[in-house]
Amino acid sequence: MLEYAIKGDKRYYAWITFLLALIGIGFGVYLWQLRFGLGITGLSRDVSWGFYIAQLTYMVGVAAGGVMVVLPYYLHDYKAFGRITVLGEFLAIAALVVCLLSVIVDLGQPGRILNVWIHLSPHSVLFWDTVVLNGYLFLNLVVGWNVLQAERNGTHYPQWVKPFIYLSIPWAISIHTVTAFLYCGLPGRHFWLTAILAPRFLASAFAAGPALLVLLCLLIRRVTNFDPGREQIQTLAKIITYALIANLFFFGCELFVAFYSNIPGHMDHITYLFAGLHGHGVLVPWMWASMGLMVLALLLLIPPITRRNEGVLAVACAMLFIGAWIDKGLGLISAGFVPNPLHEVNEYMPTLPEVVITIGVYAIAALVLTVLYKMAVGVKEEVAA
Amino acid sequence: MEDSRRQFLKITGIAALGLSTASTAGVLAADQGPQPYTRKGDEALTAKQWGLVIDTTKIDHELAEKITEACHTTHNVPFFDPEIVGPEVAKRHEIKWIWETHYHNAFVDSGSNNYMSEEVEHRPFLVLCNHCEAPPCCRACPTEATYKRDDGIVIMNFHRCIGCRFCMAACPYGSRSFNFRDPRPFIKETNLKWPTRSKGVVEKCNFCVERLAVGKAPACVEASDGAIVFGDLEDPDSHIREVLREHYTTRRRVSLGTGPAVYYII
Ligand code: SF4
Ligand code: SF4
Ligand code: SF4
């Protein structure tokens, strides 16, 4: 099936070249980071995780969101999603590429990464995170590839794939749960120390992941001869709506607990994000933008009349995707560290090199996604013809 | 033999998931082969749980500086001069093992008092790693690069650390620093008795294990003119226990259950 990825028109090659250029630039800056150290980032003694780890957190959600097409199709026999399950699985693979690469670029000593496997430490959540992320990558590769190949040959996928499909469903939940456990089990970091963190992560994942999928489906319909289908997109839109409601509801629960209890340790981080603390508040405009985008997206998604309009739906999905990215990709990690354990406020903002490296990481994932989708669409076009 | 024992310990370690890492980490650490600072000579000082009592009433700003200086020069802690690297970078890349802060920073949960004694408010409070009884940093570490020794000291293996900084997120006392760049050009005078670090690893107070191993008190204790006492917290006859019996002491953020081994006389 790989031949589909090689055959393409001019636009396709232009896109690939563009991605390769981004990867090249990102890699160059990464070499600089390797030489100098993580000092070229905005990270500090107080805010020791930032942009890189935030991308891990956000993209784990997108990867987990893929299950929202797999589950209805395989568990509820919702036939319509059969057309797009492979798109969900391949999106999960690309998202996992971001996750794993983000962990690597975040390491101070990437050359020693195998120490995690040499000195197995089951008491560390990070160890489990590598297990679930790599496991999910493997599951999606196996399932996506075999199902697509079967579709091409006009056969049913082999029976042995079935257990992997079923396993991938709880596994999707596990990747985001374990990623939330990285944060919510740490004593003294009150912003993260909340049992609702994992559910909230999942809710935002099940909104943001399918939202990206909707955008990709609309794009595929435009640039190829394969139509993912109107019904499919509309069902995804409903899933997104419910998940977004849950996400905002969970956030409301957080606000209530923090501010009604009036416990400073719980309020400070949220205050820092939305109003600033001790005169520091670089994230304030971002956080309000994030909330505004998510609420607006919801207002567009709830009424059937706007949701059924694919143009409006695309706008809502984009707003939601960006809003959730700011929330998880910028706010969530920084705010956990500000104020610091000694209640000092030292702020964080990613630096240009950090952003360029991250763009490089995303470009690699986009390349993987392009190749995978090219194959999937190629097969679908061939079968339809 | 040795290998199968190690294997067994790892398996039991997996079975004990969720329990404190202290036991498994300690045993595995002992298995790491010879390390310069774990070798014990005849004169080595030993304990079940080392601890410190800091008498803050005896420490003024000058003494606090002298103590900090003693620790940092002994352990090759770099100094990023704000005039050379710029104030912002100096702050971001800062490395410190022991430092001076205010009461309300050291004791965040119990320190918000609007009507504090002025003297206490201005008094320097030295903070450092607490060598916690149940250290969250060790629980978080995915490589056992930070682990608790049998004598209670929480220590770093700089050669194993992958620089993931999970331990920094896990430490609720801000005790850990990360080498954001090569620290060597910023060390004034290198002490050859203790290694310098490479970029990309975490470091923190090591309770002067290299000094205890040769029968010497920690550098901060030595420099403190008697304001800091060290000893075995689990030995009821130790000097430190006597001091603890005689004075009212407190520890940082006890409500978190970490069990700090550094006590403060206020
Ligand atoms: S104070 Fe921090 S670094 Fe030291 S043992 Fe406790 S948790 Fe670990
Ligand atoms: S930075 Fe080093 S010591 Fe800290 S958790 Fe990671 S590997 Fe362990
Ligand atoms: S015990 Fe040693 S390493 Fe720790 S602060 Fe004191 S002098 Fe520094």
Side-chain angles (χ1 to χ4, degrees):
Chain A
M1 288 187 289
L2 273 172
E3 66 273 14
Y4 287 117
I6 305 165
K7 283 183 287 183
D9 56 10
K10 264 208 182 114
R11 268 183 324 171
Y12 178 69
Y13 279 107
W15 170 243
I16 300 266
T17 317
F18 172 66
L19 289 178
L20 286 174
L22 289 182
I23 295 170
I25 297 169
F27 188 72
V29 179
Y30 180 62
L31 288 180
W32 175 28
Q33 179 183 297
L34 273 184
R35 273 190 73 151
F36 185 89
L38 280 161
I40 66 166
T41 68
L43 295 169
S44 64
R45 194 180 185 281
D46 283 339
V47 186
S48 44
W49 278 340
F51 211 54
Y52 299 146
I53 290 296
Q55 304 317 315
L56 156 77
T57 313
Y58 188 60
M59 279 315 203
V60 166
V62 172
V67 80
M68 282 290 123
V69 287
V70 174
L71 187 145
Y73 178 62
Y74 289 105
L75 284 193
H76 298 285
D77 204 23
Y78 177 62
K79 293 271 185 327
F81 271 180
R83 268 176 97 78
I84 56 168
T85 45
V86 74
L87 298 184
E89 282 151 357
F90 283 173
L91 176 59
I93 292 173
L96 285 167
V97 167
V98 176
C99 299
L100 295 170
L101 289 178
S102 295
V103 172
I104 292 173
V105 297
D106 185 67
L107 291 182
Q109 288 282 348
R112 300 180 187 166
I113 191 168
L114 284 180
N115 281 359
V116 175
W117 296 98
I118 297 170
H119 310 287
L120 294 183
S121 310
H123 48 71
S124 172
V125 184
L126 203 57
F127 162 75
W128 289 106
D129 213 35
T130 60
V131 172
V132 291
L133 290 183
N134 285 300
Y136 195 57
L137 182 62
F138 169 78
L139 285 173
N140 277 290
L141 279 172
V142 169
V143 173
W145 187 269
N146 280 289
V147 171
L148 189 63
Q149 193 145 43
E151 188 174 335
R152 184 193 190 187
N153 300 338
T155 56
H156 193 271
Y157 54 81
Q159 273 309 309
W160 62 264
V161 178
K162 201 106 207 199
F164 288 103
I165 293 172
Y166 287 135
L167 184 61
S168 76
I169 293 168
W171 205 287
I173 312 286
S174 84
I175 60 169
H176 220 15
T177 306
V178 174
T179 305
F181 285 180
L182 285 177
Y183 310 104
C184 69
L186 305 178
R189 303 275 181 194
H190 290 303
F191 185 60
W192 300 329
L193 192 72
T194 159
I196 209 154
L197 199 70
R200 205 179 136 203
F201 271 23
L202 285 167
S204 82
F206 294 156
L212 182 57
L213 196 57
V214 164
L215 293 173
L216 289 169
C217 283
L218 292 172
L219 183 75
I220 286 174
R221 182 196 281 160
R222 270 192 107 127
V223 299
T224 74
N225 296 324
F226 170 64
D227 180 5
R230 188 178 159 78
E231 184 195 337
Q232 284 77 355
I233 291 177
Q234 283 304 315
T235 310
L236 279 176
K238 283 190 205 118
I239 293 173
I240 295 166
T241 312
Y242 281 116
L244 184 56
I245 292 173
N247 185 32
L248 290 171
F249 170 68
F250 290 158
F251 179 62
C253 295
E254 290 270 31
L255 291 182
F256 173 79
V257 171
F259 289 93
Y260 193 82
S261 71
N262 204 34
I263 299 174
H266 292 267
M267 294 187 296
D268 288 343
H269 302 275
I270 303 176
T271 311
Y272 166 68
L273 281 180
F274 288 94
L277 198 66
H278 305 320
H280 299 274
V282 280
L283 289 174
V284 174
W286 289 92
M287 292 314 290
W288 283 106
S290 157
M291 281 299 138
L293 286 168
M294 285 198 279
V295 170
L296 264 178
L298 191 61
L299 292 179
L300 291 177
L301 284 168
I302 291 179
I305 184 154
T306 42
R307 187 176 63 231
R308 289 202 193 115
N309 179 322
E310 286 186 345
V312 178
L313 177 65
V315 172
C317 284
M319 291 201 303
L320 144 63
F321 191 77
I322 297 168
W325 179 81
I326 297 173
D327 181 29
K328 257 160 126 184
L330 270 180
L332 183 101
I333 308 297
S334 303
F337 289 109
V338 184
N340 76 2
L342 286 89
H343 211 91
E344 295 153 342
V345 178
N346 289 310
E347 293 193 283
Y348 162 81
M349 256 292 158
T351 58
L352 187 62
E354 209 171 349
V355 174
V356 174
I357 291 176
T358 305
I359 292 175
V361 166
Y362 273 95
I364 294 176
L367 185 64
V368 170
L369 188 72
T370 306
V371 168
L372 290 174
Y373 271 22
K374 185 82 177 31
M375 279 169 17
V377 170
V379 167
K380 303 228 178 224
E381 284 173 344
E382 186 188 284
V383 171
Chain B
M1 261 302 280
E2 195 56 24
D3 259 341
S4 63
R5 186 175 83 99
R6 195 189 179 112
Q7 216 44 48
F8 169 71
L9 287 168
K10 272 194 186 159
I11 292 162
T12 48
I14 291 165
L17 170 69
L19 299 178
S20 150
T21 73
S23 51
T24 45
V27 177
L28 288 178
D31 257 4
Q32 279 161 25
Q35 289 191 7
Y37 42 81
T38 51
R39 217 167 33 207
K40 282 198 188 87
D42 293 339
E43 72 279 36
L45 303 177
T46 55
K48 282 216 178 90
Q49 170 69 55
W50 286 111
L52 293 177
V53 175
I54 302 181
D55 187 345
T56 61
T57 62
K58 290 189 189 152
I59 301 178
D60 59 9
H61 176 64
E62 274 87 273
L63 185 56
E65 265 193 342
K66 183 180 150 210
I67 292 169
T68 309
E69 183 71 14
C71 171
H72 288 180
T73 44
T74 310
H75 296 107
N76 298 324
V77 173
F79 173 66
F80 302 109
D81 193 338
E83 297 199 345
I84 296 170
V85 297
E88 245 179 66
V89 171
K91 176 97 200 137
R92 282 216 309 265
H93 298 178
E94 185 179 20
I95 295 184
K96 49 190 180 185
W97 287 25
I98 181 169
W99 71 99
E100 189 185 321
T101 188
H102 299 289
Y103 178 81
H104 65 268
N105 296 116
F107 298 91
V108 269
D109 303 323
S110 48
S112 337
N113 181 344
N114 289 336
Y115 312 109
M116 277 273 285
S117 130
E118 267 186 33
E119 189 270 319
V120 175
E121 210 177 307
H122 294 115
R123 191 188 290 172
F125 280 77
L126 285 171
V127 289
L128 66 155
C129 168
N130 289 290
H131 300 277
C132 302
E133 283 157 27
C137 55
C138 302
R139 208 181 304 146
C141 180
T143 63
E144 317 279 2
T146 188
Y147 58 95
K148 193 168 172 67
R149 306 201 315 175
D150 290 340
D151 59 4
I153 296 175
V154 174
I155 193 179
M156 282 292 308
N157 179 338
F158 302 123
H159 301 287
R160 188 183 285 191
C161 176
I162 60 173
C164 67
R165 311 188 297 295
F166 200 5
C167 53
M168 294 177 80
C171 171
Y173 302 96
S175 304
R176 295 175 162 262
S177 306
F178 180 72
N179 286 282
F180 282 101
R181 64 202 298 167
D182 181 10
R184 285 164 193 139
F186 301 91
I187 301 169
K188 261 175 261 154
E189 235 176 283
T190 307
N191 170 16
L192 295 176
K193 295 207 180 109
W194 179 248
T196 57
R197 272 73 67 192
S198 63
K199 64 172 184 276
V201 298
V202 165
E203 61 181 78
K204 65 167 198 77
C205 153
N206 68 344
F207 211 93
C208 289
V209 285
E210 80 287 4
R211 291 172 59 93
L212 295 176
V214 293
K216 284 193 199 156
C220 57
V221 173
E222 200 178 81
S224 73
D225 303 333
I228 306 180
V229 171
F230 83 110
D232 187 356
L233 290 172
E234 289 195 10
D235 175 4
D237 302 322
S238 62
H239 177 48
I240 192 169
R241 285 287 294 272
E242 198 184 311
V243 174
L244 286 169
R245 262 195 300 276
E246 283 167 7
H247 296 83
Y248 169 75
T249 51
T250 184
R251 296 180 291 171
R252 298 174 65 201
R253 304 189 88 175
V254 239
S255 64
L256 300 177
T258 53
V262 176
Y263 292 72
Y264 292 85
I265 298 174
I266 313 273

